[in-house]
Amino acid sequence: MMDRIIVAGGSIAGVTAASTLRSEGWSGELIVLSDEHVMPYSRVPLSKGVLAGTQQPETATLAALPKDVDLRLGQRAVALHSESRTIELAGGERLNYDGLVIATGSRARRLATAGQQGELVVRTMADAQAISRQIPTASTAIVVGGGFLGMEVASTLLHHGLSVTVVDREPPLRRVLGEWLSDLLVTNAYAQGMKFVLAENGVELLGNPVRAVGIGQSRELKADLIISAVGDLPNTEWLETSGLRLAGGVVIDDACRVSPGIVAAGDVAVQEVEPAVFRRTPHWTNAVVQGQAAARALLDPTRSPYLPDHYFWTEQFGVDLKVSGRLPLNGPPRILEGDPSEMSTLAQWWNGDIPIAAAALNHKMPVVRLKALAALHD
Ligand SMILES: Cc1cc2nc3c(=O)[nH]c(=O)nc-3n(C[C@H](O)[C@H](O)[C@H](O)COP(=O)(O)OP(=O)(O)OC[C@H]3O[C@@H](n4cnc5c(N)ncnc54)[C@H](O)[C@@H]3O)c2cc1C
């Protein structure tokens, strides 16, 4: 019997889990804790329309939770006492639970040293708005990190007329998308004016407040805006004394279970894909699918594994890319439709005779069809 379920984390994974508990017919007391002070919102437009100032922040708000869900904003969980089934909040309050969903997501990784001010990142609504406000008076930007987020931010700033340089240890997008697909996207970005500097030994932020990026051998790059997009760190500090298994995230099984009465979902969750090899899937669709699976596993601990969904998308430099499949996308794909040289194609990757991934680049097609082209075997 569960009288009270607490969801820690009020973003897409937590909100999905709470809504699923209700849609599955569970009617007990349901509390969602969020340490943010604004209504739950999508992060997806933060590097796109919200950053550009073309999308109103309110439009990013997630669909409302059912009315009988007790959403508590500005409430941060600071410790979990799993033996007594209690969560401790920053203000000292303790809340008992019968079931717990851990959905505390992740935060931006930062490069600044202790006390160094002025590093810009894009993780929260406030981050995106802070940069957006500076765009009108800026003419140059450096984006440290050439992953999806960094390239989206670079694209948005470039289209606002800024001169944009991306700095990374390796060519942009290559580690995630593989050589073939990343080369297509990056060539397109160069054609539009993005600059790239390879910093094989990494970078350091210079000045306090930050005013330049050091890239070794006394070389430094200056810009009006310096934005770090160097990955994210799962928010697990509050779980450190809980006894739960942590390995670069909260370890979940194939049904999102963590321990009896505790499940986890989204960017905070990590799965052991091979012995001692742990992987997070920090994408929107995964947070939704795991949020649903976690809620169902809490209500029925005997639940069988959920079907992972390795679908994600990115929008940058006028390219709309949708991918279904496990990253990275190694080796050249088979071209099913369109022409890559015209930046419009449907491509499929194979492992032997098994199709493992598919990508639609500026190629309109139903997402279900794209997913059907990547028969994943988890
Ligand atoms: C700028 C940006 C653009 C993106 N664009 C795309 C995209 O185009 N396509 C795509 O597939 N994915 C995209 N993503 C990834 C996607 O947004 C994430 O995978 C998704 O937000 C994960 O949701 P989550 O609920 O697991 O975690 P989060 O969104 O990180 O939410 C966790 C919530 O828990 C709160 N929290 C943390 N600790 C505590 C605590 N101790 N107590 C209470 N609350 C706490 C946090 O403040 C936050 O509100 C993007 C991400 C970013 C940052």
Side-chain angles (χ1 to χ4, degrees), residues 100-178:
L100 170 65
V101 180
I102 298 171
T104 45
S106 60
R107 62 185 180 280
R109 192 165 85 80
R110 289 174 180 271
L111 298 173
T113 52
Q116 195 177 21
Q117 304 292 314
E119 178 180 21
L120 299 169
V121 296
V122 188
R123 181 75 202 181
T124 66
M125 181 63 79
D127 295 336
Q129 288 177 300
I131 298 172
S132 182
R133 278 193 296 274
Q134 296 184 52
I135 290 177
T137 54
S139 57
T140 53
I142 293 171
V143 180
V144 182
F148 293 124
L149 180 61
M151 290 293 278
E152 287 186 2
V153 170
S155 165
T156 301
L157 297 177
L158 192 93
H159 284 102
H160 257 273
L162 274 73
S163 167
V164 182
T165 304
V166 170
V167 182
D168 200 321
R169 288 172 187 270
E170 52 192 50
L173 299 172
R174 185 166 292 179
R175 194 170 39 80
V176 279
L177 290 183

Side-chain angles (χ1 to χ4, degrees), residues 260-319:
I262 303 181
V263 294
D267 283 11
V268 75
V270 69
Q271 280 176 303
E272 191 168 16
V273 289
E274 287 168 40
V277 177
F278 298 89
R279 190 179 296 153
R280 287 192 304 127
T281 309
H283 298 301
W284 176 268
T285 307
N286 176 67
V288 171
V289 171
Q290 285 190 344
Q292 292 165 340
R296 290 177 186 136
L298 200 54
L299 299 178
D300 174 8
T302 62
R303 248 198 122 76
S304 47
Y306 74 98
L307 208 56
D309 191 331
H310 298 281
Y311 169 76
F312 72 91
W313 70 96
T314 178
E315 294 154 29
Q316 47 181 279
F317 300 99
V319 170

Side-chain angles (χ1 to χ4, degrees), residues 20-303:
T20 305
L21 287 167
R22 286 295 188 244
S23 63
E24 291 285 315
W26 185 77
S27 58
E29 188 188 1
L30 182 50
I31 299 172
V32 176
L33 302 172
S34 172
D35 65 355
E36 296 195 71
H37 293 267
V38 293
M39 291 300 281
Y41 58 89
S42 165
R43 298 184 198 282
V44 171
L46 301 187
S47 49
K48 310 172 184 84
V50 171
L51 188 67
T54 54
Q55 182 174 344
Q56 290 307 310
E58 309 77 70
T59 61
T61 305
L62 294 177
L65 282 161
K67 283 205 166 42
D68 58 355
V69 175
D70 181 2
L71 172 62
R72 300 191 187 179
L73 298 177
Q75 297 289 312
R76 188 158 59 89
V78 292
L80 169 65
H81 306 284
S82 47
E83 46 328 306
S84 59
R85 298 203 164 199
T86 310
I87 290 186
E88 208 177 310
L89 302 184
E93 192 184 348
R94 287 174 176 247
L95 295 171
N96 294 325
Y97 64 84
D98 302 301
L100 170 65
V101 180
I102 298 171
T104 45
S106 60
R107 62 185 180 280
R109 192 165 85 80
R110 289 174 180 271
L111 298 173
T113 52
Q116 195 177 21
Q117 304 292 314
E119 178 180 21
L120 299 169
V121 296
V122 188
R123 181 75 202 181
T124 66
M125 181 63 79
D127 295 336
Q129 288 177 300
I131 298 172
S132 182
R133 278 193 296 274
Q134 296 184 52
I135 290 177
T137 54
S139 57
T140 53
I142 293 171
V143 180
V144 182
F148 293 124
L149 180 61
M151 290 293 278
E152 287 186 2
V153 170
S155 165
T156 301
L157 297 177
L158 192 93
H159 284 102
H160 257 273
L162 274 73
S163 167
V164 182
T165 304
V166 170
V167 182
D168 200 321
R169 288 172 187 270
E170 52 192 50
L173 299 172
R174 185 166 292 179
R175 194 170 39 80
V176 279
L177 290 183
E179 199 170 330
W180 185 85
L181 191 50
S182 66
D183 279 357
L184 268 184
L185 267 73
V186 174
T187 303
N188 173 59
Y190 289 157
Q192 294 185 32
M194 185 195 88
K195 291 177 277 259
F196 174 67
V197 172
L198 189 67
E200 276 169 332
N201 297 319
V203 304
E204 66 175 320
L205 301 183
L206 304 173
N208 195 5
V210 174
R211 53 166 183 79
V213 172
I215 54 170
Q217 292 174 340
S218 313
R219 207 175 147 205
E220 61 179 67
L221 305 170
K222 287 188 180 154
D224 300 328
L225 298 180
I226 295 176
I227 300 167
S228 298
V230 289
D232 60 318
L233 299 172
N235 293 317
T236 54
E237 289 74 8
W238 69 286
L239 301 170
E240 260 157 23
T241 56
S242 67
L244 300 186
R245 193 171 174 215
L246 304 177
V250 189
V251 181
I252 57 170
D253 71 6
D254 52 13
C256 294
R257 292 167 294 219
V258 176
S259 71
I262 303 181
V263 294
D267 283 11
V268 75
V270 69
Q271 280 176 303
E272 191 168 16
V273 289
E274 287 168 40
V277 177
F278 298 89
R279 190 179 296 153
R280 287 192 304 127
T281 309
H283 298 301
W284 176 268
T285 307
N286 176 67
V288 171
V289 171
Q290 285 190 344
Q292 292 165 340
R296 290 177 186 136
L298 200 54
L299 299 178
D300 174 8
T302 62
R303 248 198 122 76

